[in-house]
Amino acid sequence: MSPSPTASPRRALLAGVGGYLPRRIVTNDELALKLDTSDEWIRERTGIRARHIAEGEETAAFMGARAAEAALAAAGAGAREVDAIILATSTPDHAFPSTAVEVQALLGITRGFAFDVAAACSGFIYALAVAEGMIRAGQAEGVLVIGSEVYSRILDWSDRRTCVLFGDGAGAVFLHATREETGGRGVLSTHIHADGRHRDILYVDGAVGRRERPGHLRMDGQAVFRQAVTLLAAAVDEALAAHGLGREAVDWLVPHQANRRIIDAMGRRLGLPPERVVVTIDHHANTSAASIPLALAEAVGDGRIRPGDLVLMEALGGGLTWGSALVRM
Ligand code: COA
């Protein structure tokens, strides 16, 4: 006898995705006017051509709310269907309240709960992991998962080794509870990790709890690069192994956008042709926790990623933190 639908496990369906990018675009050539750098150096080492930089009212809360509205619209859902907002950021509007409750207010939501997640560039994968766990546990039905970042405000604009690498923006997904048999769609699993021994290769040297606030991003680029290639490969393998899947099962890789060479290495590991790897680093640069939902929004929006496709996501960031997620769209 087949189990009744109500007895089957719950799963988080990715019902809609959206993004917001600041209006102002800054090219490599524009940066080279003020810094000892060049478009050629930045493109060859990173794949970046341009980035969006926030201005005026474009804070993490403002951009997160715009991305959330786009995700809800794509899902055909209204604000009243949102039980929870989980927002990943390292650049909140305030120390408190959380940027998630600022977004809640901007969306006119007065029920449910909202909180931020701090996991640097892995923030979206972490927030997705928390959200899908809460949906599986029956603590929420509809959850907005948002990554929103204004790294332009924590960059040392005189340090060419870091400031050319990042951009601002926000991305969001709306997750809704479903039952596992609904065509196998939804978040299949998430896999998150941290190892604080590496906290000094990528960090911000200040915050409101320290004297030297507000702080700037500092990075040992080569050390991060070496760790990323090894740890992301393991995270990708872990996600597939959790479901007994071979790499040929993956339709799309939607990676965190930190460096084109790391993205290409992960695509090769999965045996994916380049056109099956979603790349936005050329025009977004590294938008930290926003990069995966922004890339997903672009590829769903232009019709590349379609319902039923199997999407593998992976990210690594300061901490170090890293992880992966497997989602049937
Ligand atoms: N323009 C021109 N020259 C630059 C430069 C820039 N923007 N940034 C650094 N350089 C110079 C360095 O000063 C160095 O010069 P030197 O040899 O005279 O000292 C030279 O380029 C090589 O620097 P290096 O740091 O060895 O370059 P790299 O090949 O490792 O590339 C990164 C640097 C940052 C692009 C690369 O290490 C990287 O992408 N790392 C991973 C970073 C990452 O993913 N971070 C985010 C994780 S969320």
Side-chain angles (χ1 to χ4, degrees):
M1 207 172 79
S2 60
S4 77
T6 49
S8 64
R10 291 160 62 94
R11 183 179 278 175
L13 179 74
L14 202 160
V17 55
Y20 177 88
L21 288 158
R23 289 174 290 272
R24 182 165 170 239
I25 295 171
V26 176
T27 62
N28 293 343
D29 283 332
E30 200 176 331
L31 291 181
L33 295 175
K34 294 179 222 144
L35 272 175
D36 182 15
T37 189
S38 66
D39 175 52
E40 191 187 9
W41 192 98
I42 300 170
R43 266 192 296 109
E44 281 180 4
R45 302 280 176 130
T46 71
I48 298 165
R49 288 187 287 108
R51 73 285 292 140
H52 292 250
I53 298 293
E55 290 182 311
E57 84 283 8
E58 291 174 326
T59 65
F62 174 92
M63 296 192 301
R66 297 288 88 79
E69 284 167 349
L72 287 171
R80 70 195 166 281
E81 289 165 66
V82 177
D83 300 318
I85 301 173
I86 305 178
L87 187 145
T89 190
S90 300
T91 48
D93 287 29
H94 303 102
F96 73 83
S98 67
T99 303
V101 302
E102 307 251 14
V103 168
Q104 187 196 32
L106 287 169
L107 297 180
I109 299 170
T110 53
R111 53 177 283 275
F113 57 93
F115 60 92
D116 287 359
V117 165
C121 295
S122 311
F124 180 76
I125 299 285
Y126 266 64
L128 191 69
V130 174
E132 82 124 350
M134 295 189 109
I135 286 176
R136 279 188 190 274
Q139 288 173 296
E141 295 290 315
V143 183
L144 276 169
V145 179
I146 306 169
S148 188
E149 302 278 20
V150 272
Y151 267 44
S152 60
R153 291 172 189 156
I154 54 166
L155 293 172
D156 175 351
W157 285 101
S158 65
D159 178 11
R160 67 178 184 174
R161 293 168 303 151
T162 53
C163 74
V164 303
L165 304 174
F166 296 90
D168 301 331
V173 299
F174 182 59
L175 301 180
H176 205 276
T178 183
R179 294 286 166 185
E180 282 208 338
E181 53 270 272
T182 319
R185 293 176 66 201
V187 180
L188 305 192
S189 61
T190 52
H191 308 269
I192 54 176
H193 300 276
D195 185 346
R197 285 176 302 174
H198 305 297
R199 63 193 180 282
D200 60 348
I201 62 173
L202 178 53
Y203 65 102
V204 176
D205 60 4
V208 288
R210 295 178 66 104
R211 276 181 194 282
E212 65 271 32
R213 68 192 169 94
H216 290 120
L217 183 145
R218 307 293 175 202
M219 179 174 71
D220 177 345
Q222 289 194 6
V224 173
F225 194 99
R226 279 194 301 274
Q227 292 289 342
V229 172
T230 310
L231 296 173
L232 289 174
V236 162
D237 292 349
E238 182 184 17
L240 294 177
H243 303 276
L245 292 172
R247 55 187 203 169
E248 69 289 344
V250 177
D251 295 308
W252 297 95
L253 176 64
V254 181
H256 170 50
Q257 312 279 320
N259 182 300
R260 182 68 204 247
R261 288 180 290 159
I262 299 173
I263 295 170
D264 290 346
M266 290 310 121
R268 283 196 300 274
R269 185 172 188 88
L270 287 165
L272 283 171
E275 62 273 16
R276 289 269 156 181
V277 179
V278 179
V279 177
T280 54
I281 190 169
D282 53 331
H283 51 296
H284 293 177
N286 180 348
T287 57
S288 190
S291 84
I292 290 177
L294 271 172
L296 194 63
E298 191 170 290
V300 169
D302 65 21
R304 273 178 289 168
I305 296 182
R306 306 169 68 87
D309 285 354
L310 188 63
V311 173
L312 181 54
M313 307 170 187
E314 42 84 345
L316 174 133
L320 289 176
T321 57
W322 68 100
S324 58
L326 208 47
V327 180
R328 178 78 65 190
M329 297 293 291

